[in-house]
Amino acid sequence: MRNEIDHYVQGLREAFLARKMRPKFHFSSPAGWMNDPHAPVWYHGEYHLFFNYYPYDIEGVRPKCWGHAVTKDFTSYRLLPTAIAPDTEHDRDGCASGCAVVHEDKLWLIYTGRNYYRRPREVQCAAWSEDGIHFTKAERNPIVLPSDCAETDFRDPWVYRENGRWQMLLGGKRGGGPCIYRYESADLTDWSYGAIFSQGKEGQGIMWECPSLLSTEEKAVLLTSPEFMDGVRQKSLYFLGREKAGCFYQEEKAEIDYGCDYYAAQFFSSPEGVIMVNAWMNKWENEHKTQKEGWIGTMTTPRTFTFGQDGKIKGSYISSLEKLRKNEIRLQNIEPEAGSRYSFAEEKNSFWVEMDLAWEALQGNCFEIGLLTDRTGSGGLTICFEKDKNRLVVENHTVNHEGKRRILPVEPDFWSRPAKMEILVDVSCVEILIAEEIFITNCVYPVSDDSRFHYCRSDGKMRISQITLYDMDPAEFQFDMLPMSAENTFIG
């Protein structure tokens, strides 16, 4: 089955290059449907990226396999043969989400196997590789079964090392509410039940998917993706808390991203120990307007994840992306005329812009930025800073679903200090970072070829201390699913 997939996808490389809505420097589906990216893992000198996908069409309910690519710095990618596919009794209906870890110089994949014709429907399985390319499924699969065979939500293993033993966190639900289970192992194949690692509270959804954990001396941070929280089908949260005796106790919670297209976030680290996060830039019930081009699904750019001196979570785009920047333009002390649109990045659809916003100069109540609109300001994405209401309003005008309009309250002191805003625009993707704290991620589908207008405006006097604009080179994508040939590499 894997060979059939690889021959099929390899033959689509020209179609991949020709997609009009394909982002240039984000990793997108090589074919058909792609959802959860699994946390990249460093192995034999490269990051290995794994992701759920079904290459033959854009139906997200199809049995998933694990796609596989490698990169050294997230500016070029090499697509490798399919890692695992649904070809056993335990995963006949899909090799669902999980993670990758290195153990005794082998690359292990821990994943959820699905079989809808048995109980339990979801079990945990393993596969391993000695070369990072060819994987063998463990003879002892399934390696973890739920205690209740009627359990239907028991998935997305996250595996990490602690106190000399492997720990596995699993998303699920218990007693009508969300929870995360914990299991332990010495060898990745023989697991024993540990505890309920974390129990959700009222209003925190009905089930938690894709758990991921970061523990420091000061705090523990738990990432999870709740289903049906606050009337929204899917969100991505982080909890600050403490880990004690194998359980996590939440103290604070917040969204890790406030856009309408961010899900299944997971931690990973560089060889130097830099903590990063990546996620799926899409959601299940979105209007997938790329489907007319035969594909769905994009990965976010990786982000760093640190604690600031004020105790707040800080983030940035990874520095290696700066290698793709070119043609720097720097504009200083811009004062848009009240009510009129000041345009920037004219006719561009792949760029990085940094804005230094001088809020002390704002005499009105609303400062708006529009991205990927037409020349009248219609369509695209708008973010409005409403000073009188202490909030930001983000609206994606190219979709029609529950998350298209998000309201983000901010503290009153937000307006008392300058704020740096960084924006990545990549054909049909927009990622925004404000003051190193607020991330906003959206798929923004161009209405027409004229949807390359970007502007800012205010209802009163406003000053932008500086705008720095860069064009972005495309990432290199190499299809190496079959024996290498000179025709397998593209830029773009």
Side-chain angles (χ1 to χ4, degrees):
M1 183 176 183
R2 283 178 288 178
N3 287 339
E4 294 174 2
I5 292 171
D6 295 342
H7 276 85
Y8 175 74
V9 175
Q10 185 84 15
L12 294 177
R13 61 190 190 274
E14 295 297 339
F16 172 87
L17 187 63
R19 298 169 179 169
K20 292 184 66 175
M21 282 192 278
R22 180 180 67 86
K24 301 304 183 186
F25 57 89
H26 287 75
F27 186 96
S28 60
S29 173
W33 170 277
M34 182 182 85
N35 59 290
D36 303 359
H38 315 310
V41 60
W42 186 262
Y43 181 69
H44 289 180
E46 296 177 298
Y47 290 103
H48 287 250
L49 316 178
F50 298 95
F51 49 93
N52 275 162
Y53 87 128
Y54 183 81
Y56 296 114
D57 62 37
I58 47 80
E59 295 295 327
V61 296
R62 303 291 193 185
K64 308 297 190 308
C65 59
W66 274 37
H68 186 192
V70 290
T71 181
K72 291 185 181 296
D73 60 5
F74 303 95
T75 65
S76 64
Y77 298 90
R78 184 163 60 99
L79 203 63
L80 295 181
T82 303
I84 51 175
D87 54 12
T88 72
E89 176 190 357
H90 312 298
D91 56 27
R92 56 162 289 173
D93 292 312
C95 301
S97 299
C99 66
V101 295
V102 177
H103 178 51
E104 295 180 347
D105 201 37
K106 293 180 181 179
L107 183 57
W108 286 77
L109 310 183
I110 314 297
Y111 68 97
T112 297
R114 284 179 170 156
N115 183 334
Y116 294 136
Y117 296 92
R118 61 144 192 238
R119 292 293 183 270
R121 299 196 309 175
E122 294 182 328
V123 297
Q124 312 317 312
C125 301
W128 55 269
S129 172
E130 292 182 332
D131 63 5
I133 299 176
H134 305 94
F135 289 86
T136 301
K137 292 182 180 178
E139 292 183 1
R140 295 186 61 178
N141 282 342
I143 56 173
V144 174
L145 292 163
S147 57
D148 181 356
C149 286
E151 180 63 73
T152 57
D153 293 300
F154 182 74
R155 56 183 175 267
D156 309 335
W158 168 260
V159 175
Y160 61 101
R161 194 82 167 165
E162 185 176 83
N163 298 326
R165 292 181 63 81
W166 291 102
Q167 309 291 320
M168 179 190 294
L169 303 183
L170 282 161
K173 61 184 178 183
R174 179 172 177 263
C179 74
I180 293 174
Y181 301 97
R182 182 177 63 82
Y183 287 75
E184 295 185 354
S185 174
D187 59 5
L188 293 178
T189 57
D190 186 13
W191 292 86
S192 59
Y193 176 71
I196 297 295
F197 182 74
S198 183
Q199 181 72 54
K201 299 179 180 180
E202 185 176 353
Q204 294 182 351
I206 64 171
M207 191 265 173
W208 283 348
E209 295 190 304
C210 304
S212 185
L213 181 71
L214 169 65
S215 291
T216 70
E217 293 182 1
E218 299 83 19
K219 288 283 186 181
V221 186
L222 178 65
L223 296 183
T224 188
S225 297
E227 290 189 329
F228 299 105
M229 176 178 169
D230 300 330
V232 176
R233 172 70 170 82
Q234 292 168 306
K235 284 192 173 186
S236 287
L237 297 183
Y238 70 84
F239 293 97
L240 292 178
R242 53 193 173 87
E243 187 181 1
K244 184 178 180 181
C247 296
F248 177 85
Y249 300 89
Q250 59 175 278
E251 296 170 352
E252 303 175 46
K253 72 173 176 66
E255 293 189 54
I256 191 170
D257 190 290
Y258 292 91
C260 63
D261 294 298
Y262 192 89
Y263 198 69
Q266 289 193 328
F267 288 120
F268 69 103
S269 62
S270 73
E272 297 76 29
V274 176
I275 303 300
M276 294 174 278
V277 181
N278 76 326
W280 179 34
M281 192 186 298
N282 222 310
K283 288 184 181 176
W284 285 98
E285 295 181 352
N286 282 3
E287 292 181 296
H288 301 111
K289 294 188 177 181
T290 61
Q291 63 185 357
K292 63 184 179 183
E293 296 181 347
W295 66 282
I296 289 173
T298 304
M299 291 187 191
T300 62
T301 57
R303 305 164 181 178
T304 64
F305 192 97
T306 59
F307 289 99
Q309 292 184 348
D310 56 3
K312 294 182 178 179
I313 298 298
K314 304 290 185 181
S316 66
Y317 302 120
I318 58 171
S319 60
S320 62
L321 284 181
E322 296 176 12
K323 291 170 55 177
L324 300 178
R325 301 195 309 197
K326 64 179 182 180
N327 303 332
E328 177 182 327
I329 298 174
R330 188 166 295 183
L331 307 170
Q332 294 183 321
N333 292 320
I334 299 118
E335 296 187 358
E337 184 177 341
S340 64
R341 294 187 179 91
Y342 177 85
S343 66
F344 59 92
E346 288 271 359
E347 299 302 317
K348 300 180 186 295
N349 72 346
S350 184
F351 60 89
W352 182 331
V353 64
E354 299 174 352
M355 292 186 179
D356 295 321
L357 305 175
W359 294 125
E360 74 278 3
L362 178 61
Q363 295 181 2
N365 283 314
C366 180
F367 175 73
E368 181 181 89
I369 295 174
L371 302 163
L372 291 172
T373 76
D374 65 19
R375 298 200 67 84
T376 69
S378 298
L381 180 88
T382 55
I383 174 168
C384 189
F385 296 82
E386 298 181 349
K387 186 176 180 179
D388 58 335
K389 297 179 181 179
N390 284 321
R391 70 182 193 178
L392 317 181
V393 179
V394 183
E395 188 158 5
N396 188 344
H397 303 276
T398 71
V399 297
N400 184 24
H401 57 71
E402 60 190 6
K404 65 174 293 184
R405 187 172 188 267
R406 299 295 308 277
I407 296 176
L408 288 62
V410 297
E411 297 297 327
D413 66 356
F414 177 84
W415 313 100
S416 64
R417 59 188 187 276
K420 183 177 182 179
M421 185 173 183
E422 295 185 80
I423 304 171
L424 301 181
V425 173
D426 191 10
V427 184
S428 57
C429 302
V430 174
E431 295 188 72
I432 298 170
L433 172 58
I434 303 168
E436 298 185 311
E437 294 178 8
I438 302 172
F439 277 103
I440 303 167
T441 298
N442 284 270
C443 296
V444 182
Y445 303 109
V447 176
S448 68
D449 291 341
D450 295 329
S451 300
R452 297 188 176 195
F453 187 64
H454 321 281
Y455 69 86
C456 52
R457 68 176 176 181
S458 175
D459 62 355
K461 185 179 179 181
M462 174 62 180
R463 186 175 84 252
I464 306 170
S465 302
Q466 182 166 283
I467 293 179
T468 307
L469 177 68
Y470 304 91
D471 292 329
M472 293 292 283
D473 272 332
E476 177 183 302
F477 287 86
Q478 176 179 303
F479 280 56
D480 198 10
M481 308 183 78
L482 300 177
M484 184 60 184
S485 73
E487 299 177 351
N488 290 351
T489 302
F490 328 104
I491 305 292

